[in-house]
Amino acid sequence: MPQATPQVSGKLFGLFCLASYLLSLSYGATFLLSLLIGSRGGNEHDAGSVISAAMLSTFVAVLVSGHLSDWLGAARSIALFGLLLVAASLGFAMTPGFGHLLLFFGLLLGLGWGVFYTLGPIIVASLVSPTQRAKYFALLSGSMMTGIGSGPLLGRAASALGLPVTSAFYLAAAASLVGVLLFWRLGARLKSTQAASAAKISWHATKQVLGSRAVFPIIMVGLGGCVFGGLSSFQTSYAAARSLDYSLFFLGFMSAAISSRMLIAGYVVKRDPLRASCLLSGLMLGSIVLFAFGVQSGFSYLLAAVMLGVGYGLTYSVINGLAANEAPAGTTSQALLLFSLAYFIGVFGFPLLAGKIIVEHGMPTLLLTVLAVAALNWMITVGRLLWRRITVESALTN
């Protein structure tokens, strides 16, 4: 992994971010699955099962991503597996009912999104120096978050135009196909930057990473993925129960996540990362409290979404940089692979439990469960700060 900053043109990185945005639309559209499956006679548990099928295939994606990077280069590996995102979006739209075939397309989604989400940060890490990683991770994740947030808005726009919700999946498939073509063309220019041999994961490297301080941001991204996946996947159900417009959530969340990353991420990442992650995860916890007990109107709904967007969005950028920089020497790529894997477990695995909770116990119980997860996430940051303080004071007294 190069330690000096290579010359990365703004145009090249801009195209990289545009391609990332377009591919992310296909994942964002899956937040409409609860609505789509509900219109076909299914329920939230059925939707959660489809989303969680992707968790299984992401394990495969993480394991093969290094070998794919060796073979094609990271960018062209993303392009190849991005075709599976196109196929998944088309499959969700065209499959009648809510049977087992949707689970197959959920698996395709996990493979495509897993390779993209895993190799994207590794490309960025190889392009810039460690001191710039948090900034460029924020730009990449901002592009992806824009695409993720735009996916459900396609559904809202289709509804406003009197079109079926399947229109959003067709549009997401078309956008992702353009993203695939962009990544393929970028492949030749980005391939030379890859430290491909370091992109493979091994048991030895895994033990090294999980035995270091990098394990804490890896756990946190998994917990954050549970919060994000649980709320976003069933936001259409949450909004319907309160006679609200679900597009307010995605507009508020996306706008806050993107603007905070673009406007203040550069300031935040220069601060103490432990203090920053504590403050931001606390803000995320506050947003869940508001979702659970304080949303009574469109304004409070939008406010809760904005708080979540700032808290989750910036926390992710901070802990992504922590995972890379706190990993033992020579294991940065492996730490990022494990970081992605933990995220996938949360964002794809938790909806299965969330859907079951909604069907059997109701939305309020799900919100209390998500609140407990967010509280645990915040307590990790508090614990790290207290441990550091104790260690410093002990060193000074000795």
Side-chain angles (χ1 to χ4, degrees):
M1 192 73 62
Q3 296 304 308
T5 306
Q7 294 298 316
V8 183
S9 71
K11 180 180 179 181
L12 177 64
F13 197 78
L15 287 174
F16 176 72
C17 288
L18 173 61
S20 299
Y21 163 77
L22 293 170
L23 280 186
S24 299
L25 280 165
S26 57
Y27 171 53
T30 64
F31 296 147
L32 298 168
L33 277 175
S34 181
L35 189 64
L36 177 67
I37 291 175
S39 70
R40 295 171 175 173
N43 57 33
E44 287 86 357
H45 191 197
D46 299 315
S49 298
V50 173
I51 296 167
S52 292
M55 184 184 70
L56 301 176
S57 51
T58 54
F59 282 89
V60 178
V62 169
L63 292 175
V64 305
S65 59
H67 300 282
L68 284 170
S69 184
D70 278 349
W71 177 40
L72 287 174
R76 288 193 168 174
S77 297
I78 291 172
L80 180 64
F81 275 70
L83 290 173
L84 299 183
L85 294 175
V86 177
S89 294
L90 291 174
F92 292 142
M94 299 173 69
T95 301
F98 54 94
H100 294 303
L101 189 55
L102 285 182
L103 297 177
F104 170 73
F105 290 114
L107 291 171
L108 292 187
L109 174 77
L111 280 173
W113 186 250
V115 169
F116 167 48
Y117 200 92
T118 300
L119 292 181
I122 291 175
I123 292 176
V124 174
S126 68
L127 289 173
V128 301
S129 66
T131 58
Q132 292 183 307
R133 282 174 185 157
K135 173 185 175 182
Y136 280 84
F137 283 156
L139 292 172
L140 170 62
S141 58
S143 303
M144 295 168 72
M145 192 60 68
T146 307
I148 292 170
S150 297
L153 297 181
L154 292 177
R156 186 65 185 87
S159 177
L161 294 172
L163 299 173
V165 69
T166 52
S167 302
F169 290 91
Y170 286 121
L171 288 172
S176 294
L177 183 58
V178 177
V180 164
L181 296 175
L182 284 175
F183 264 112
W184 188 263
R185 294 202 57 180
L186 286 170
R189 300 175 66 180
L190 292 174
K191 188 175 182 179
S192 62
T193 68
Q194 300 310 302
S197 60
K200 298 176 184 176
I201 195 165
S202 66
W203 179 243
H204 176 69
T206 298
K207 289 194 296 183
Q208 279 188 291
V209 172
L210 296 183
S212 72
R213 290 178 299 169
V215 70
F216 295 109
I218 289 171
I219 292 173
M220 286 183 65
V221 78
L223 295 174
C226 290
V227 172
F228 178 65
L231 285 179
S232 299
S233 298
F234 302 103
Q235 198 56 223
T236 52
S237 299
Y238 176 91
R242 288 166 171 73
S243 300
L244 297 167
D245 185 347
Y246 70 83
S247 67
L248 284 175
F249 170 84
F250 292 104
L251 277 172
F253 178 84
M254 179 180 67
S255 300
I258 296 164
S259 59
S260 62
R261 285 174 177 175
M262 298 304 173
L263 297 177
I264 63 176
Y267 172 80
V268 171
V269 297
K270 293 177 182 176
R271 304 298 99 186
D272 179 352
L274 295 187
R275 290 182 181 275
S277 60
C278 183
L279 175 64
L280 293 168
S281 59
L283 181 62
M284 183 169 69
L285 175 61
S287 74
I288 310 305
V289 172
L290 190 54
F291 274 117
F293 305 109
V295 171
Q296 305 293 337
S297 64
F299 175 77
S300 56
Y301 186 37
L302 184 63
L303 176 62
V306 168
M307 289 172 62
L308 181 66
V310 175
Y312 175 80
L314 288 179
T315 299
Y316 187 93
S317 298
V318 172
I319 62 177
N320 202 354
L322 275 174
N325 294 331
E326 291 190 323
T331 63
T332 298
S333 292
Q334 288 85 355
L336 292 176
L337 290 175
L338 291 169
F339 187 87
S340 296
L341 182 58
Y343 171 80
F344 293 142
I345 292 172
V347 82
F348 287 136
F350 188 75
L352 178 61
L353 174 62
K356 185 176 178 65
I357 289 173
I358 293 173
V359 171
E360 296 183 359
H361 303 286
M363 182 62 73
T365 302
L366 173 64
L367 293 173
L368 291 176
T369 304
V370 172
L371 181 62
V373 173
L376 176 59
N377 188 51
W378 177 68
M379 288 170 63
I380 290 174
T381 65
V382 173
R384 292 199 71 185
L385 281 172
L386 289 175
W387 178 254
R388 185 178 67 179
R389 181 175 180 177
I390 292 170
T391 303
V392 170
E393 288 179 353
S394 176
L396 290 175
T397 55
N398 293 331

